[in-house]
Amino acid sequence: MKVYPSIKRIIDFILSLIGIIILLPIFLILAIIIKIDSKGPIFFKQKRVGKNKEYFYILKFRTMRIDTPKDMPTHMLENPDIFITKVGKFLRKTSLDELPQIINILKGEMSIIGPRPALWNQYDLIAERDKYGANDIVPGLTGWAQVNGRDELPIDAKAKYDGEYVENMGLIFDIKIFFKTILSVLKSDGIKEGANKAKVSSNNKNM
């Protein structure tokens, strides 16, 4: 595990650079559609917790109106549907709103695989992750918790899965999570929207 993080960073940099080049046409198309669909910026920035609990700003394609309450996970909103844009519903269902995080990966703020970065004010989740050392590694675009329940997981279960990832982090495990993520996205597994649908915490989608 001591050697792997260095190798992991090299893999992340190469794959994210290739990803940006290949996906640039899709980025441009989605940017145009988002601007046409609703007022506001193309990208959404949100303060998140990175490695060693240092803050950074995660990037996403904006999927919600500009008057949406700030720094609040979507599942905590009483009626999130009134804030999600038409294009946003599609982006969130397909997870295409997460694509700009390739830039975060390229910069070294995130990894392809790792615990999903918590919101800066998700103190309960951050505290639970401290028990497992999950705040001491680079957060990821997808992780072990995401392929084992995603939004459906309660805080303690999510943190425990993140801890399991810390203990078992390695190339083979990352590859396993990567392909399980693809299956989860195709099936839209574990996605919940609204406080009335899921009383859980995590780094769920917002904007």
Side-chain angles (χ1 to χ4, degrees), residues 23-77:
L23 296 173
L24 185 58
I26 296 178
F27 267 65
L28 294 175
I29 292 172
L30 291 178
I32 294 172
I33 294 174
I34 291 170
K35 289 298 290 185
I36 293 175
D37 182 55
S38 63
K39 295 181 180 179
I42 295 169
F43 295 112
F44 168 64
K45 292 182 179 181
Q46 192 173 57
K47 189 177 179 181
R48 297 286 181 122
V49 179
K51 182 180 179 181
N52 298 322
K53 292 190 281 191
E54 294 184 0
Y55 297 134
F56 74 99
Y57 285 89
I58 199 172
L59 292 174
K60 293 186 179 187
F61 281 123
R62 182 176 58 83
T63 62
M64 305 187 82
R65 292 171 7 200
I66 57 176
D67 60 341
T68 303
K70 306 295 183 183
D71 292 323
M72 181 181 290
T74 307
H75 71 274
M76 295 299 294
L77 297 172

Side-chain angles (χ1 to χ4, degrees), residues 3 133 156:
V3 178
D156 56 346

Side-chain angles (χ1 to χ4, degrees), residues 47-56 71 73 115-137 139 154-160 162-163 166 200-203:
K47 189 177 179 181
R48 297 286 181 122
V49 179
K51 182 180 179 181
N52 298 322
K53 292 190 281 191
E54 294 184 0
Y55 297 134
F56 74 99
D71 292 323
R116 282 293 294 166
L119 282 166
W120 67 272
N121 58 356
Q122 288 181 297
Y123 306 115
D124 46 3
L125 176 60
I126 296 169
E128 280 294 314
R129 283 178 168 175
D130 271 337
K131 298 177 182 178
Y132 302 98
N135 291 315
D136 301 331
I137 64 174
I155 298 168
D156 56 346
K158 182 181 291 293
K160 187 175 181 180
D162 291 334
V166 174
V200 295
S201 176
S202 89
N203 33 356

